[in-house]
Amino acid sequence: MTELIAVVTLTLLAVISPGPDFAMVSRNSLSGSRAAGLYCALGISLGVLVHVGYTLIGVGLLIQRSLWLFTLLKFIGAAYLIYLGVQMYRHATAAPAHAATPVPHISDWRALKTGFLTNVLNPKTTVFIVSLFMQVVNPQSPLWLQIGYGLFISLAHMLWFGCVALFFSAPGVSARFLRLRRGIDRLFGGLLVTFGALLALSNLSR
């Protein structure tokens, strides 16, 4: 019972903490559509399952103990975040400032892919899930229970970011933010570049 409470508590705290996932869902919901935000949230939850999967089969332990492999993954994640941020900032700079300009359509597949890659390449999620299963979950716990924990973590991400998408895509909210679309894209683009840069610098300082 103590293990279950620890898993639930730590998962909820990790899910609601700000990061690249939140930035991408918020931006897609504001500048895209409700569907774009929800598909991005779905992509994030599927990305979580990838982390859970490799952790359960033992690759997570290898990542935890192999400094060069984990560092490589962190640099790849940092580069992807910087790429997304630069693309977002460039789009904001090139877009017309007129409030009535239609918002470019974000396909469901693109939103899903962006959410998935943002989470899969996010070292924060790697560290969280590997640490959770290595330090909190008892290795003697049945496999079905460990899989259940993984499904819960994925579902928690889907529900939280789904709520974020619904909030930011609500007509009253999105209409107000739409007039500030260029500024929003610049803000979230800058945040993603900052996340990526801090991630890369944390590796160089080691």
Side-chain angles (χ1 to χ4, degrees), residues 99-186:
T101 302
V103 179
H105 175 69
I106 301 175
S107 69
D108 296 342
W109 167 246
R110 181 181 175 188
L112 179 71
K113 183 179 68 173
T114 300
F116 177 79
L117 290 176
T118 300
N119 185 269
V120 164
L121 297 175
N122 186 359
K124 171 188 167 186
T125 310
T126 301
V127 171
F128 166 67
I129 293 181
V130 172
S131 299
L132 184 70
F133 278 88
M134 297 298 170
Q135 300 176 24
V136 177
V137 178
N138 190 326
Q140 304 304 319
S141 296
L143 179 59
W144 65 265
L145 181 58
Q146 296 189 43
I147 293 175
Y149 288 150
L151 293 176
F152 167 75
I153 296 171
S154 176
L155 180 62
H157 279 76
M158 180 65 215
L159 292 177
W160 168 252
F161 289 113
C163 289
V164 171
L166 292 176
F167 172 76
F168 282 107
S169 63
V173 176
S174 60
R176 293 178 183 177
F177 279 100
L178 183 60
R179 293 190 292 271
L180 306 172
R181 190 173 82 245
R182 292 206 307 172
I184 291 171
D185 279 353
R186 284 177 177 149

Side-chain angles (χ1 to χ4, degrees), residues 5 13 30 37 39 42-43 64 77 88 93 98 104 112 129 132 136 148 153 167 171 187 192 196 205-206:
I5 294 174
L13 291 175
L30 287 170
Y39 272 100
L42 176 60
Q64 186 182 46
M88 198 178 295
T93 302
H98 198 279
L112 179 71
I129 293 181
L132 184 70
V136 177
I153 296 171
F167 172 76
L187 171 63
L192 289 175
S205 62
R206 289 179 180 276

